[in-house]
Amino acid sequence: MSSSSEEELLDFKPPDIAEDTKMSFENLLLPKSREKYKKTYEDFIKWKTGKKVKSLSENVFLAYFNDLSKDKRPSTLWCEYSKLKTTIRLKENVNIGDYANLSTFLKRKSQGFMPKKSKVLSGNNIETFIKEAPDEQYLLEKVILIFGVNGACRSNELTALTINDIETHNNKMLVRVRGCTKSDRMFIVQDELLKVVQKYQKLRPVGIKSDRFFLNFKNGKCTKQVVGRHKIAAIPKGIATYLDLPDAESYTGHCLRRSSATLLAGAGANVLTLKRHGGWLSDKVAERYIEESFEKKSKITIQINKAPLKTSPFEPRPSTSSTVSFDELNTETSTSSTLNSSPSIQQVNLPDKSVQLSMANFTNCTVIFNMNN
């Protein structure tokens, strides 16, 4: 071996496997949710250390989720399970998705649980607020309402919206939403709603470093301070309060997205249209909005009420077969036999299995039908 080769071997340093694993763990998680996934994993490791447990068996995870279920809702348990399944697979190379008993445990915890959903704004509510609320006080709320409903936007999507995501073409505004899924979404603002948005745009101060679209609005002017996610999430509650709607606390940050999907489903949209509009990957979510649609339920009620009153699933179907009398059948006994006399046994060969017999005059006798033919 040459001296140069020996020097290369001496200078060679094996890769840091732990560091590579850490890097792959960081890169495989989505940037937006990376910290949440890491915290879920760290919470489990902390619990496992406190219990002095080293195994990653199914019983360990059953015990962990049983402890979590004491103060967490079933929907939260499923969320923690999903995040932990990903992190455990990446960190420990163990797939807890194969633990059938764990899945059964979570399903039983979910039985009878009704998740609390945000209330939705009706079309009349939206129109009333935009027309009647004074712009000097509620212009920001109006623009967020327009964007949130037209684009089925989440609070964090509205927060991240920038001036570069908005383009105006031929009296129509094209807005691009950087969604949580892999693909972006787009929606249009036009007509009278566009005038409201443009009025807000013109109030943007000059020389702002941030490119965020939504800026704080006060006393009829925009400030240089950006609007945070929590303030955007509280806007539906403020709108419900202005409209004097009951239980205004139930209009949460998810209200605008739910209102958008509900209105679209009520207009007759199918599952595919709803999925594209809201960026949902699952059919179940879109189908839920269609099933809960007031208009859909009204159509079902109308169909039920218009059904023929005589139609019943318990009524026998009318027979299309012919009705023949007993005398018309070929019998092996004498035709002179009298059926209404003493009890007797006669054998009848039916030429057709679909034949319907009229037995009105058969009394005090026993009849055996041979259906083999």
Side-chain angles (χ1 to χ4, degrees):
M1 181 180 297
S2 64
S3 58
S4 60
S5 300
E6 292 177 356
E7 291 176 358
E8 291 177 359
L9 288 175
L10 292 174
D11 293 336
F12 173 75
K13 294 181 180 180
D16 190 340
I17 298 177
E19 186 66 23
D20 288 348
T21 304
K22 181 180 179 181
M23 288 297 296
S24 62
F25 176 77
E26 296 286 340
N27 294 332
L28 289 174
L29 296 177
L30 293 174
K32 294 182 179 180
S33 54
R34 183 178 298 158
E35 294 302 321
K36 295 180 180 179
Y37 276 71
K38 288 172 63 177
K39 186 179 183 307
T40 298
Y41 175 77
E42 291 169 357
D43 289 344
F44 170 72
I45 296 300
K46 183 178 179 180
W47 175 89
K48 193 162 70 80
T49 303
K51 297 291 184 179
K52 298 180 180 180
V53 177
K54 297 182 179 180
S55 171
L56 292 174
S57 66
E58 185 173 21
N59 289 335
V60 172
F61 286 96
L62 282 170
Y64 177 66
F65 279 97
N66 184 59
D67 286 351
L68 289 182
S69 65
K70 296 176 182 178
D71 56 359
K72 293 187 182 296
R73 297 177 298 175
S75 56
T76 305
L77 292 180
W78 278 110
C79 183
E80 294 295 299
Y81 168 78
S82 177
K83 291 184 289 187
L84 198 58
K85 181 172 67 172
T86 300
T87 52
I88 290 294
R89 178 172 54 82
L90 294 176
K91 279 281 192 178
E92 312 291 345
N93 197 26
V94 174
N95 184 13
I96 67 174
D98 295 335
Y99 294 161
N101 292 333
L102 179 59
S103 299
T104 302
F105 171 81
L106 295 175
K107 290 177 182 178
R108 288 182 178 176
K109 285 293 181 181
S110 300
Q111 290 179 353
F113 172 74
M114 295 295 293
K116 188 176 181 179
K117 299 178 181 179
S118 172
K119 287 190 172 182
V120 299
L121 295 169
S122 67
N124 290 332
N125 295 149
I126 297 170
E127 184 179 4
T128 300
F129 181 78
I130 292 177
K131 287 185 176 181
E132 297 183 1
D135 289 350
E136 292 75 13
Q137 184 178 356
Y138 293 102
L139 185 58
L140 172 64
E141 284 80 355
K142 288 184 179 183
V143 178
I144 289 178
L145 174 61
I146 292 170
F147 277 22
V149 173
N150 278 271
C153 298
R154 304 175 178 89
S155 297
N156 61 332
E157 293 173 344
L158 292 170
T159 305
L161 200 66
T162 69
I163 56 177
N164 300 319
D165 297 325
I166 299 174
E167 302 175 6
T168 303
H169 304 280
N170 299 326
N171 296 323
K172 292 184 179 181
M173 178 176 286
L174 176 65
V175 183
R176 185 182 300 273
V177 180
R178 311 292 179 180
C180 298
T181 57
K182 295 181 180 180
S183 59
D184 298 336
R185 311 192 310 276
M186 292 181 290
F187 64 92
I188 298 290
V189 179
Q190 58 186 1
D191 301 331
E192 295 300 319
L193 299 181
L194 177 59
K195 296 179 182 179
V196 177
V197 177
Q198 288 177 335
K199 182 178 180 180
Y200 176 79
Q201 275 185 305
K202 293 177 181 179
L203 298 176
R204 185 180 184 87
V206 180
I208 297 180
K209 295 181 179 180
S210 176
D211 63 348
R212 293 255 289 272
F213 179 77
F214 286 112
L215 301 176
N216 195 28
F217 181 80
K218 187 176 182 181
N219 299 327
K221 296 181 180 180
C222 286
T223 67
K224 294 183 178 181
Q225 182 182 7
V226 297
V227 180
R229 181 174 63 87
H230 294 292
K231 183 172 182 177
I232 291 179
I235 282 178
K237 174 186 172 182
I239 295 174
T241 302
Y242 175 86
L243 296 173
D244 198 22
L245 299 178
D247 194 14
E249 296 287 341
S250 296
Y251 292 84
T252 66
H254 204 57
C255 168
L256 304 182
R257 183 168 169 82
R258 292 201 70 235
S259 299
S260 177
T262 303
L263 291 171
L264 186 58
N270 56 25
V271 173
L272 181 59
T273 301
L274 277 171
K275 287 176 64 178
R276 288 178 175 175
H277 176 63
W280 289 292
L281 300 177
S282 170
D283 289 348
K284 292 183 179 179
V285 178
E287 288 171 353
R288 193 180 304 133
Y289 284 106
I290 294 177
E291 291 171 359
E292 294 175 353
S293 169
F294 180 82
E295 288 76 8
K296 182 71 174 180
K297 292 184 180 297
S298 298
K299 291 179 181 179
I300 294 175
T301 302
I302 293 173
Q303 290 175 347
I304 293 174
N305 293 334
K306 286 186 176 180
L309 297 178
K310 294 183 179 181
T311 302
S312 171
F314 303 103
E315 292 182 1
R317 295 181 179 179
S319 175
T320 58
S321 59
S322 59
T323 302
V324 297
S325 63
F326 185 84
D327 293 335
E328 293 175 349
L329 301 177
N330 294 326
T331 62
E332 295 180 358
T333 59
S334 173
T335 56
S336 61
S337 301
T338 303
L339 292 176
N340 290 328
S341 59
S342 59
S344 61
I345 299 178
Q346 301 189 27
Q347 182 173 351
V348 180
N349 295 323
L350 295 180
D352 188 352
K353 294 182 181 180
S354 64
V355 171
Q356 179 180 346
L357 296 179
S358 177
M359 303 290 291
N361 297 323
F362 295 174
T363 58
N364 197 26
C365 66
T366 301
V367 181
I368 300 177
F369 299 101
N370 183 4
M371 306 294 291
N372 293 331
N373 296 327

